[in-house]
Amino acid sequence: MAVLCQSALNLKLITSSSSSSNRNANPNPNPSSRLNLSRTEPPPVFTSVKTFAPATVANLGPGFDFLGCAVDGIGDFVTLRLDPDVHPGEVSISDISGAGKKLRRNPLWNCSGIAAISVMKMLNIRSVGLSLSIHKGLPLGSGLGSSAASAAAAAVAVNELFGRPLTLTDLVLAGLESESKVSGYHADNVAPAIMGGFVLIRSYHPLELIQLNFPPEKDLFFVLVYPEFEAPTKKMREALPQKLTMSHHIWNCSQAGALVASVLLGDVSGFGKAMSSDKIVEPRRAPLIPGMEGVKRAAMEAGAFGSTISGAGPTAVAVTDNEETGRDIGQRMVEAFLKQGKLKSLAMVKKLDRVGARLVSGHPI
């Protein structure tokens, strides 16, 4: 009981009406300062900034649309600068490189542009124009929060350029505006992309976010296997059941609770068990990804504590507490995708990203 009570302290509730602090946000915001933000345009403190936002794993089995985490080492970069050639109060997308060459450069139809415009409106930016370039490190439709990473990096870039006046919740709301136009109004990717670590969405109206701190002394590795297959979020959402049985509702609620408890306790084995126990969403989505069931079995047989679909897929995710074991698990999952689904795939072993979207570099005015 003492251990559980101590772990219960590893939560931080962040709401749309409360303050929060980190490297991307005003450390001491209050309702009156927010009102001032809508009236007073803050001056820029940089001429240009470069930001990074990590990939994310959403849902984690039974945590559909309310639980996600950030993973280290892969993600998107955004470079933002003051541009006298852009009309004041507007943003222009100058370049898109990497895995996003198919993306539109119209900021009104690009997730980075939408998030950047949302932050500019929050700050009442009218006297300067901005241009941004995007380097996509995440493939589109991968189930790794590609659109959320771009939105998070852009939102943080604008906030940094003007001296970090906004809160974490403000930034997540800007990212949500982008996500709602791309894949739906859900924050289980964009919240951890901005905040890092594990994030639970307690409420959407108003937005209430709970950071779940996985113990830093514990090891947690995510085995991510991305097959050459497209699984559009819209199509995967259409596969969801319209009605639920009470037994499935009770089961998934209990597994989601076990998932959260395991995160707080640093119990990787319990985390994997709960992650693998979804009876509502994954059973509908897994058959749409060739070989997924065989890939999950291969992961478990290779020693994974659990395996499921990352986000809407097609990436499969498994968890372990050992990096070398993770590489072996990934190889077995790659082999299963090829054998069971006739799909080539790429395996990565990544740690939990505890930082979230951040400033990489900046040129002060």
Side-chain angles (χ1 to χ4, degrees):
M1 179 63 72
V3 174
L4 183 59
C5 290
Q6 179 64 40
S7 295
L9 298 177
N10 295 329
L11 295 92
K12 182 187 292 184
L13 176 63
I14 299 174
T15 75
S16 55
S17 59
S18 67
S19 66
S20 60
S21 63
N22 84 342
R23 72 276 159 203
N24 298 324
N26 184 340
N28 198 23
N30 56 61
S32 61
S33 68
R34 289 191 178 200
L35 290 174
N36 290 336
L37 282 176
S38 66
R39 299 170 183 170
T40 305
E41 177 181 356
V45 298
F46 293 101
T47 58
S48 68
V49 295
K50 183 177 183 180
T51 56
F52 169 82
T56 48
V57 176
N59 300 340
L60 295 164
F64 179 72
D65 273 8
F66 66 84
L67 188 62
C69 66
V71 294
D72 186 44
I74 51 173
D76 290 356
F77 291 89
V78 163
T79 300
L80 182 77
R81 64 185 178 90
L82 301 175
D83 192 337
D85 295 327
V86 177
H87 191 277
E90 295 182 2
V91 62
S92 172
I93 297 177
S94 59
D95 182 62
I96 302 175
S97 60
K101 294 181 180 179
K102 294 182 180 180
L103 294 174
R104 303 184 192 184
R105 287 175 56 177
N106 183 336
L108 299 177
W109 295 98
N110 180 287
C111 47
S112 289
I114 296 167
I117 291 170
S118 179
V119 174
M120 291 177 74
K121 288 180 178 178
M122 290 179 182
L123 298 178
N124 196 31
I125 303 301
R126 297 181 179 179
S127 64
V128 297
L130 307 176
S131 65
L132 65 84
S133 62
I134 308 161
H135 179 76
K136 291 291 298 177
L138 297 174
L140 307 179
S142 59
L144 293 172
S146 178
S147 62
S150 292
V156 168
V158 177
N159 192 47
E160 291 284 349
L161 195 77
F162 292 96
R164 302 183 187 176
L166 298 181
T167 69
L168 285 173
T169 303
D170 292 328
L171 297 177
V172 173
L173 286 169
L176 265 173
E177 185 168 341
S178 173
E179 288 283 82
S180 67
K181 295 182 180 180
V182 176
S183 58
Y185 197 81
H186 50 89
D188 48 344
N189 286 115
V190 75
I194 288 173
M195 300 164 64
F198 288 91
V199 180
L200 186 150
I201 296 86
R202 178 180 179 180
S203 167
Y204 280 97
H205 305 288
L207 183 64
E208 294 185 0
L209 308 170
I210 301 176
Q211 287 184 293
L212 308 174
N213 293 325
F214 187 86
E217 69 276 9
K218 299 282 188 174
D219 289 325
L220 172 63
F221 294 93
F222 297 91
V223 183
L224 305 169
V225 182
Y226 172 58
E228 294 179 351
F229 181 78
E230 186 175 354
T233 300
K234 182 179 180 181
K235 179 180 178 182
M236 300 304 277
R237 281 187 170 268
E238 290 173 350
L240 301 180
Q242 298 301 308
K243 296 182 179 180
L244 303 177
T245 64
M246 181 59 72
S247 62
H248 281 180
H249 166 71
I250 294 171
W251 172 264
N252 263 44
C253 286
S254 66
Q255 299 310 305
L259 200 64
V260 171
S262 297
V263 169
L264 297 176
L265 293 170
D267 178 5
V268 183
S269 176
F271 178 80
K273 183 178 180 180
M275 188 180 76
S276 302
S277 300
D278 174 30
K279 287 187 177 182
I280 295 174
V281 177
E282 186 184 302
R284 295 297 188 97
R285 286 180 165 176
L288 302 179
I289 303 172
M292 180 57 75
E293 291 296 342
V295 170
K296 285 187 60 182
R297 285 196 301 271
M300 301 301 291
E301 291 170 359
F305 291 122
S307 181
T308 189
I309 302 170
S310 177
T315 295
V317 57
V319 292
T320 180
D321 58 1
N322 182 279
E323 187 172 10
E324 184 176 350
T325 301
R327 287 193 289 268
D328 293 338
I329 293 168
Q331 181 58 38
R332 293 283 295 276
M333 293 170 74
V334 167
E335 293 170 357
F337 258 130
L338 188 60
K339 181 178 180 180
Q340 303 289 333
K342 312 301 181 190
L343 296 175
K344 294 180 180 180
S345 58
L346 173 68
M348 302 173 284
V349 181
K350 300 295 182 181
K351 289 185 176 182
L352 180 71
D353 183 306
R354 299 176 183 269
V355 179
R358 60 265 204 183
L359 180 69
V360 175
S361 62
H363 292 89
I365 288 180

